[in-house]
Amino acid sequence: MPVITQATQTLDRLAIPYRLFTHVSPPVSLQEAARERGQDPCQVVRSILFRHSGDSFVLVLMAGPGQISWKRVRAHLGITRLSLADEAEVRRVTGCEIGTVNPFSLPAGTRVLADVHVFAPLEISIGSGQRGTAIILETVSLRQALPGVEVADLAAG
């Protein structure tokens, strides 16, 4: 049975090419996920939701094991306070569980920031909205699917 999520429906509607990869069992680490997908860990893009300014949210895309510099995210947004969204907020805002989040079907007005390293490889994988299944697509297609993405150096170190 094919996997259909909000993300795949959005990509289909936009005519963005992608393929799905379903793990035999959900991977327990980023390295395991990359290995099973035939990718380098830097090709696995993590989608992390942050809360700021009351009930406003921003999704940050980070490549592989890279760590997000909260200072750089705050500076980019022009804010002083930022916190990770909790599990209930992630589910409410994205419609996804933690570990399956993606930027393709967020509520209107939700900003998406991407670290510059996300676009370095030719191909990446990202959450599909369903545990154990990833969306694999070219980075040029990722940019096409996210016309409003804000790209900046957001990596710590």
Side-chain angles (χ1 to χ4, degrees), residues 51-102:
R51 181 174 21 88
H52 68 90
S53 309
D55 202 30
S56 295
F57 295 88
V58 61
L59 187 71
V60 177
L61 305 180
M62 180 57 64
Q67 296 299 309
I68 295 171
S69 166
W70 290 45
K71 180 180 180 180
R72 290 181 180 185
V73 172
R74 287 191 307 265
H76 182 87
L77 296 171
I79 60 173
T80 56
R81 297 192 63 190
L82 184 71
S83 61
L84 280 174
D86 65 31
E87 191 173 337
E89 290 169 326
V90 169
R91 199 173 304 112
R92 178 174 55 83
V93 173
T94 69
C96 301
E97 293 179 38
I98 292 173
T100 70
V101 175
N102 61 76

Side-chain angles (χ1 to χ4, degrees), residues 3-4 19 31 40 50 66 75 93 101 103 110 113 120 124-125 129 140 146 148:
V3 172
I4 299 172
R19 69 184 191 278
Q31 289 75 15
D40 187 272
F50 289 91
V93 173
V101 175
T110 305
L113 309 183
I124 57 93
S125 60
V140 68
L146 301 172

Side-chain angles (χ1 to χ4, degrees), residues 4-84:
I4 299 172
T5 66
Q6 287 182 335
T8 62
Q9 290 175 331
T10 298
L11 293 171
D12 289 342
R13 184 174 33 77
L14 295 171
I16 303 291
Y18 68 93
R19 69 184 191 278
L20 294 174
F21 181 90
T22 301
H23 295 271
V24 173
S25 60
V28 296
S29 70
L30 183 131
Q31 289 75 15
E32 181 182 332
R35 186 175 54 255
E36 290 180 5
R37 296 171 194 169
Q39 295 183 321
D40 187 272
C42 71
Q43 292 176 273
V44 178
V45 175
R46 297 175 296 127
S47 303
I48 302 156
L49 189 69
F50 289 91
R51 181 174 21 88
H52 68 90
S53 309
D55 202 30
S56 295
F57 295 88
V58 61
L59 187 71
V60 177
L61 305 180
M62 180 57 64
Q67 296 299 309
I68 295 171
S69 166
W70 290 45
K71 180 180 180 180
R72 290 181 180 185
V73 172
R74 287 191 307 265
H76 182 87
L77 296 171
I79 60 173
T80 56
R81 297 192 63 190
L82 184 71
S83 61
L84 280 174

